[in-house]
Amino acid sequence: MKSHETFTLIEEITRLDGSKYMEISDMVQNGRAELAAERGLIKQVRILQLNIAHTPHVQAYEDYVNENYEMPAEDFTEFQEWAKPEKIQKEVDAILQENHIG
């Protein structure tokens, strides 16, 4: 279902191969990641920071995700990692730096 997500947190996701990455997210998306972990689609997810400031970098990343992805239904069978082109990865890196993570 299409929705407009407003990102409020930073989480760390551990893939099945043990590698990790940081994601900018919200509580609904975090809930989907928790379901993915319970279903064995990822190893784990943990929230690193709540209530992040809604900076221009967060807004730019939100716009990208909302334009390119949809909220998965609760019956999903695969975990979709959001692709980050170089420009978007720079926004994520800026968000992590603003929040003293990474």
Side-chain angles (χ1 to χ4, degrees), residues 1-71:
M1 90 185 134
K2 189 70 174 163
S3 61
H4 179 80
E5 304 304 313
T6 301
F7 296 147
T8 58
L9 60 87
I10 299 171
E11 60 189 7
E12 177 187 72
I13 296 176
T14 305
R15 299 177 185 102
L16 291 176
D17 66 4
S19 62
K20 298 177 182 186
Y21 71 98
M22 310 294 182
E23 189 57 82
I24 315 307
S25 189
D26 63 14
M27 291 305 290
V28 176
Q29 290 287 0
N30 179 261
R32 294 299 194 265
E34 291 285 350
L35 276 175
E38 288 178 16
R39 294 175 182 167
L41 304 173
I42 60 174
K43 278 192 178 180
Q44 77 173 18
V45 59
R46 67 185 185 115
I47 295 173
L48 300 177
Q49 187 160 338
L50 289 169
N51 301 321
I52 61 173
H54 200 261
T55 66
H57 298 293
V58 173
Q59 184 64 56
Y61 188 55
E62 271 178 19
D63 291 345
Y64 166 75
V65 171
N66 285 316
E67 290 170 13
N68 292 282
Y69 295 96
E70 292 185 14
M71 171 71 72

